[in-house]
Amino acid sequence: MQRRVVSLWFPRLASDRALRARPVDGPFALTLRHSNTDRLYCLNRAAEQQGLNRGMSFSDARAFCPDLQSRPADMPGDAGFLRALARWATRYCPWVGLEGGDGLVLDVTGAVHLWGDEARMLCDMRQRLARAGLFVQAGLADTRGAAWALAHSGEGCAAPGESLGAIADLPVAALRLEADTVVALQRVGIRRIDALAELPRASLARRFGRDVLMRLDQALGAQPEHVSPLSAPVHYGVRMTLPDPIGLAADVMAVAERLLDQLCAKLKANETGARILRLTLRRVDGESQQVELRLARPLREPPRILSLFRRGVDQVDAGFGIDQMRLEAVEVAGLPVQQLSPNRQQGSAALDDLITRIGTRIGLENVQRFLPADSHIPERSFLIAPAAYSEPEGPWLRAAPRPAWLFPPEPIVGEGRQPPAQFRWRRMPLTTGRARGPERIAPEWWFEDESWHRGLRDYWLVETRQGRRLWLFHTPQNPGWFVQGEFA
């Protein structure tokens, strides 16, 4: 059986994907920051017709085309979209692989007859992709190299056994050669593939390297080049069908323990840990109930996970009995093997389990921690992040004492640069007993903050005779006194 390979090239994959979500009229381009300069990464057809091209700086492109609309490129999203297209392409054949970052290669040997003939199969591909808003160029030949050359040089279909005749008139760049090699060949007058194929092989390899012969042989079929299909994603799910229905929580936990042993073994083999687990319990009446567990940290230790399932299992209504249980890791994260001291691991594990137990009741996003931030501005000296998705950081560097309670500045009556001897705050008359300061803090010029429009601040720690320890500041550029915090 003659081997047949299809190459699909999406020259505007990134822009087509962006325009599928948010269509625009007129020239459009995606930009990518490189060497502190925004450059065009992918363009639509209207932008190409305006004379723009990839790699052009965004400022130059706007000078040529003032109507150009742009968005930042999302390369990880484009890679995921291409993998989704690869899964879609398995409807034509089981052997589908990636061809760089903007193409697919399909080994359709033995599958063409399912679509009638090659022309109908290619027509079906183009029509479906066009309805999805994607522009594609397709090439079909006996070899992967010839199909790639036809797809990237327009479009074409080489008859069986006629790969050389189909690509003979194409430039040598269609052989997937390096740019330096292509330039070197053009300098000696070798511009087309047929001229390259007629040269003596020994002198060709000696002068231009073996890669030229390898690419030529791959395109002509003298050297095999296989299509490596995408590996199927690992499925983290196990289930057990019970011979007799169960209804006691202890029995459900016993079955869950056996399922956890199997699932965690698979997680450990792939060096991953579960972040979200879902236990599905099917009752004899056909109804199902689910117990979802969201973990503060990736885990693959059955005893720890089993204890966290207890609260959800106790709330399950078994009805007339449960005859099947299924456990699935809905979300996983990398968890490589690492060596930790026993004391540190035990303390960290206990805290993570506590966060998980509290998060089960109020939500993991509502269990938060403070993190230090690199700023001398009081309001920006810390961050609040969910404890389940952040790590404790330190140390907390303090050049001067900071109040336990920080609130928006509240004005008080006072004159001069020294703290007022008597003032009224929150309807309370206060008398200054002792004051320490000032600590001058200047606003960060690279941030625009309306709360710092008065300029410099001179902070004072004021201890009042009534027992209040307040954090006051004075604004010398626009005189005024304010209270912003209170010490414990």
Side-chain angles (χ1 to χ4, degrees):
M1 182 179 295
Q2 183 67 41
R3 187 191 185 203
R4 302 295 281 170
V5 179
V6 173
S7 178
L8 299 178
W9 180 42
F10 303 91
R12 298 192 289 268
L13 176 68
S15 60
D16 287 346
R17 170 178 169 266
L19 294 176
R20 273 163 48 93
R22 293 167 53 193
V24 299
D25 295 329
F28 173 81
L30 295 175
T31 61
L32 192 65
R33 196 162 188 81
H34 179 69
S35 298
N36 205 29
T37 303
D38 289 332
R39 297 189 177 276
L40 301 189
Y41 169 68
C42 190
L43 304 83
N44 67 348
R45 183 172 181 83
E48 292 175 350
Q49 293 176 346
Q50 295 290 332
L52 308 183
N53 54 71
R54 290 194 179 193
M56 177 184 293
S57 67
F58 181 68
S59 57
D60 293 342
R62 288 297 299 269
F64 282 101
C65 182
D67 297 333
L68 179 65
Q69 303 181 56
S70 67
R71 299 175 199 161
D74 179 16
M75 299 185 69
D78 296 337
F81 183 66
L82 184 62
R83 295 181 68 89
L85 285 176
R87 291 192 296 270
W88 166 83
T90 55
R91 70 190 316 271
Y92 297 99
C93 65
W95 293 86
V96 180
L98 301 182
E99 192 74 85
D102 56 2
L104 301 176
V105 55
L106 294 75
D107 192 337
V108 296
T109 305
V112 176
H113 69 279
L114 300 175
W115 306 91
D117 54 27
E118 295 175 349
R120 293 181 181 179
M121 181 183 65
L122 292 178
C123 181
D124 185 80
M125 292 181 183
R126 295 190 185 97
Q127 289 179 353
R128 291 180 181 273
L129 292 171
R131 285 198 296 268
L134 300 175
F135 174 72
V136 64
Q137 294 183 194
L140 177 62
D142 297 338
T143 64
R144 181 175 180 175
W148 189 94
L150 292 172
H152 284 71
S153 301
E155 280 192 327
C157 180
E162 299 295 333
S163 295
L164 178 59
I167 65 174
D169 296 336
L170 299 181
V172 291
L175 292 177
R176 298 174 292 172
L177 299 174
E178 298 292 339
D180 296 341
T181 304
V182 173
V183 173
L185 290 170
Q186 292 176 347
R187 285 177 178 174
V188 296
I190 305 173
R191 302 182 180 276
R192 303 196 316 178
I193 295 178
D194 55 353
L196 181 65
E198 295 174 357
L199 295 177
R201 296 177 61 87
S203 59
L204 189 64
R206 186 167 51 252
R207 183 165 184 176
F208 300 103
R210 295 184 178 182
D211 288 345
V212 177
L213 292 180
M214 180 190 69
R215 290 302 189 185
L216 180 62
D217 291 342
Q218 288 176 345
L220 301 181
Q223 184 171 336
E225 188 178 10
H226 302 288
V227 176
S228 299
L230 295 177
S231 57
V234 182
H235 177 65
Y236 297 102
V238 292
R239 69 178 179 179
M240 180 179 296
T241 302
L242 307 174
D244 296 315
I246 61 175
L248 298 178
D251 296 337
V252 175
M253 292 295 291
V255 177
E257 183 178 6
R258 296 182 61 181
L259 294 176
L260 273 172
D261 291 337
Q262 301 176 32
L263 180 62
C264 291
K266 185 180 293 186
L267 291 170
K268 185 176 181 180
N270 292 277
E271 294 192 356
T272 56
R275 288 301 300 255
I276 301 178
L277 289 164
R278 183 179 298 151
L279 180 64
T280 305
L281 304 98
R282 191 188 69 182
R283 304 189 311 195
V284 294
D285 59 359
E287 297 294 330
S288 297
Q289 293 192 20
Q290 292 183 345
V291 179
E292 187 172 280
L293 180 64
R294 300 170 65 90
L295 300 171
R297 289 289 183 273
L299 287 181
R300 56 168 179 255
E301 302 174 20
R304 290 179 58 188
I305 299 176
L306 184 64
S307 63
L308 299 173
F309 262 119
R310 172 69 65 179
R311 181 175 181 272
V313 171
D314 290 340
Q315 298 176 354
V316 170
D317 181 12
F320 294 103
I322 298 170
D323 61 356
Q324 187 184 89
M325 292 176 55
R326 185 172 188 273
L327 181 63
E328 180 184 6
V330 180
E331 181 179 328
V332 297
L335 188 61
V337 178
Q338 55 183 342
Q339 184 174 0
L340 298 174
S341 62
N343 295 334
R344 181 180 179 184
Q345 185 176 9
Q346 183 178 2
S348 176
L351 178 60
D352 294 340
D353 292 349
L354 176 62
I355 295 174
T356 299
R357 295 180 190 278
I358 299 176
T360 303
R361 292 170 171 81
I362 65 175
L364 283 178
E365 295 78 8
N366 297 322
V367 183
Q368 301 176 335
R369 63 159 50 101
F370 289 93
L371 301 175
D374 186 14
S375 177
H376 56 272
I377 301 298
E379 301 90 334
R380 302 192 187 122
S381 60
F382 63 91
L383 301 173
I384 301 177
Y389 305 103
S390 61
E391 295 288 343
E393 298 180 7
W396 288 80
L397 301 177
R398 296 187 303 173
R402 290 293 183 261
W405 294 277
L406 196 66
F407 41 81
E410 300 175 1
I412 60 173
V413 177
E415 296 181 355
R417 295 178 176 269
Q418 298 295 321
Q422 294 181 347
F423 58 94
R424 192 175 186 86
W425 174 65
R426 293 184 178 179
R427 299 183 180 180
M428 294 183 293
L430 300 174
T431 303
T432 300
R434 184 170 61 178
R436 183 169 59 185
E439 177 192 355
R440 173 161 291 188
I441 297 179
E444 297 168 338
W445 58 266
W446 53 92
F447 288 120
E448 294 185 4
D449 193 341
E450 183 64 24
S451 61
W452 281 76
H453 68 280
R454 288 178 171 266
L456 300 175
R457 293 182 181 180
D458 291 336
Y459 281 88
W460 294 78
L461 195 165
V462 175
E463 298 180 4
T464 65
R465 297 186 184 276
Q466 289 76 16
R468 297 278 185 170
R469 303 175 71 243
L470 303 177
W471 207 35
L472 279 64
F473 71 83
H474 175 251
T475 53
Q477 294 177 324
N478 191 356
W481 280 94
F482 300 85
V483 181
Q484 191 178 3
E486 185 173 6
F487 292 86

